[in-house]
């Protein structure tokens, strides 16, 4: 009987160490820095169609330090289980001019981004479903800013304009 | 360094656990404002909010939900869920001035929220259907004031 108690105590001690570490890992992952696998054609040529691993920081959007030109990961307004990667084109209050169908360049519309929202577009305007389709995105759906790519190794480096 | 870490680490790990409970299970939330009268108090109500229903998608019309405001992203707002995606919602556009009603279908991935006090509330009738991703939790129990202690029953319209 005593042996089981000793084993149980040791198991609890080890589990609590692992638990504390996972806690720390989770908080870092959600609030400071995380790595995400992003794929799809909507951000060509910036991001590959087959998938890249990017480092995403979760501080800028909480501090309000996002601006146009930033690559952001957002929760999709059409499907809350999906996360999208797009570029911020305009912040609240900015006027944005866009054409819904770039193959017919003479149809373009303009609007002012409402308060509390941002306008996001994929770099590959031909296949991206973004704010041109679902409208301005509420700021609260932004999850982080992608600033660096770590995989594939041939394209390792900071993600710029 | 060792001295210091011995007292800080247990505190940090308990805060970590508290944070995880807050983020994934539930938390008490202080609400104030006139938009949910008579269900919630104007000067302040302490309600218990659970976060499991929003993650598993088990919300139903009639639930009271809290969500990040689509106009002021730093604010968290409390309203009642009226329609899920695909539902047809009929609402009074401006109850103080006229009885005109409008009907819309809630778009995919969005929900329609309204305050119980339709005369003094900014809700989906002002800012439209909100994306489901903005929802943060469901309020299910009132702790304070004492006279309102009890469950917040879903009240379908």
């Amino acid at each position: 009987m005593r042996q089981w108690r000793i084993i149980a105590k040791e198991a609890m001690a080890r589990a609590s160490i692992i638990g504390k570490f996972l806690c720390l890992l989770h908080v870092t992952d959600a609030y400071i820095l995380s790595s995400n696998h992003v794929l799809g054609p909507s951000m060509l040529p910036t991001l590959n169609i087959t998938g890249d691993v990017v480092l995403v920081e979760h501080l800028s959007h909480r501090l309000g330090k996002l601006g146009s030109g930033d690559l952001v990961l957002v929760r999709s307004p059409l499907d809350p289980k999906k996360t999208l990667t797009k570029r911020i084109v305009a912040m609240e209050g900015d006027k944005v001019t866009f054409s819904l169908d770039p193959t017919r360049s003479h149809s373009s519309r303009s609007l002012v981004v409402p308060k509390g929202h941002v306008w996001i577009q994929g770099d590959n305007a031909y296949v991206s479903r973004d704010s041109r389709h679902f409208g301005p995105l509420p700021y609260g759906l932004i999850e982080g800013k992608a600033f660096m790519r770590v995989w594939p190794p041939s394209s390792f480096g900071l993600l710029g304009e | 360094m060792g001295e210091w870490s011995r007292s800080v680490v247990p505190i940090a790990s308990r805060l970590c656990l508290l944070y995880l409970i807050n983020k994934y299970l539930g938390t008490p939330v202080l609400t104030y404002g006139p938009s949910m009268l008579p269900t919630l108090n104007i000067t302040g109500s302490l309600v218990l909010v659970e976060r499991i229903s929003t993650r598993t998608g088990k919300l139903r019309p009639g639930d009271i939900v809290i969500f990040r405001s689509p106009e002021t992203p730093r604010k968290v707002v409390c309203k009642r869920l009226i329609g899920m995606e695909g539902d047809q919602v009929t609402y009074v556009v401006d109850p103080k001035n006229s009885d005109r009603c409008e009907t819309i279908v809630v778009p995919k991935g969005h929900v329609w929220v309204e305050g119980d006090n339709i005369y003094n509330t900014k809700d989906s009738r002002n800012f439209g259907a909100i994306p489901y991703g903005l929802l943060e939790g469901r309020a299910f129990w009132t702790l304070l004031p004492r006279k309102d202690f009890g469950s917040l029953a879903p009240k379908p319209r």
Side-chain angles (χ1 to χ4, degrees):
Chain A
M1 194 58 212
R2 276 199 63 182
Q3 265 203 329
W4 289 116
R5 285 182 72 182
I6 294 172
I7 292 174
K9 258 178 107 171
E10 195 180 324
M12 281 294 293
R14 290 198 183 185
S16 84
I17 292 178
I18 295 177
K20 285 176 205 166
F21 173 69
L22 287 178
C23 216
L24 186 66
L25 200 66
H26 165 82
V27 169
T28 309
D29 204 64
Y31 290 90
I32 305 173
L33 188 71
S34 70
S35 62
N36 290 68
H37 183 222
V38 296
L39 51 84
S42 64
M43 285 298 293
L44 287 169
T46 314
L47 299 176
N48 290 326
I49 189 171
T50 42
D52 292 340
V53 176
V54 295
L55 288 183
V56 177
E57 53 98 343
H58 301 275
L59 297 165
S60 298
H61 75 103
R62 287 178 202 281
L63 301 172
K65 292 219 186 317
L66 287 180
S68 52
D70 287 342
L71 273 172
V72 287
L73 266 71
V74 304
R75 193 149 289 279
S76 164
L78 298 175
D79 183 359
K81 298 197 198 299
K82 275 186 14 188
T83 312
L84 310 174
T85 311
K86 301 274 180 269
R87 195 182 291 273
I88 295 182
V89 169
M91 303 292 291
E92 70 182 11
D94 293 343
K95 186 154 182 258
V96 62
T97 309
F98 63 98
S99 65
L100 208 66
D101 188 1
T103 53
R104 292 181 294 139
S105 57
H106 51 265
S107 66
S108 93
R109 296 176 49 196
S110 255
L111 55 85
V112 174
V113 180
K115 185 174 176 309
H117 291 67
V118 296
W119 190 269
I120 57 169
Q121 280 183 209
D123 286 350
N124 185 0
Y126 299 93
V127 295
S128 164
R129 285 185 62 79
D130 45 38
S131 283
R132 294 170 302 155
H133 304 93
F134 49 68
L137 185 90
Y139 193 95
L141 288 177
I142 299 179
E143 305 209 318
K145 173 176 153 186
F147 65 99
M148 184 164 178
R149 172 167 36 197
V150 295
W151 193 269
S154 53
S155 5
F156 185 96
L158 292 170
L159 292 163
E161 286 284 306
Chain B
M1 179 65 196
E3 246 327 300
W4 185 77
S5 72
R6 239 172 296 165
S7 47
V8 163
V9 166
I11 298 176
S13 57
R14 276 180 201 114
L15 285 178
C16 216
L17 186 66
L18 211 65
Y19 156 77
L20 281 183
I21 294 176
N22 186 304
K23 193 76 193 299
Y24 292 99
L25 288 180
T27 172
V29 164
L30 190 65
T31 65
Y32 61 91
S35 64
M36 284 296 289
L37 287 171
T39 315
L40 297 177
N41 216 354
I42 188 171
T43 42
S45 281
L46 193 67
V47 295
L48 276 183
V49 167
E50 53 95 353
R51 301 196 193 265
I52 303 177
S53 302
T54 39
R55 279 181 200 280
T56 57
K58 291 213 187 329
L59 286 177
R60 285 191 330 260
D63 286 340
I64 299 182
V65 291
I66 64 168
F67 56 93
R68 201 151 281 281
S69 162
E71 296 184 324
T72 321
R74 291 199 192 282
K75 262 176 44 172
V76 176
V77 178
C78 180
K79 299 277 179 280
R80 196 179 290 273
L81 191 66
I82 300 291
M84 306 291 289
E85 70 182 10
D87 289 348
Q88 216 179 29
V89 170
T90 310
Y91 62 99
V92 182
V93 176
D94 193 3
K96 279 195 269 205
N97 296 335
S98 76
D99 269 335
R100 184 170 67 98
C101 284
E102 271 191 26
T103 307
I104 69 153
V105 175
V106 181
K108 187 173 174 316
H110 288 64
V111 295
W112 188 268
V113 291
E114 282 184 24
D116 284 352
N117 180 9
I118 55 169
Y119 296 98
N120 194 351
T121 173
K122 277 172 71 67
D123 50 27
S124 284
R125 294 171 302 148
N126 305 88
F127 46 68
I130 60 166
Y132 190 96
L134 288 178
L135 293 178
E136 304 223 330
R138 177 179 77 101
F140 65 100
W141 194 275
T142 312
L143 294 170
L144 292 174
R146 297 293 286 265
K147 62 174 174 67
D148 290 336
F149 188 89
S151 80
L152 286 164
K155 186 184 73 174
R157 226 183 357 159

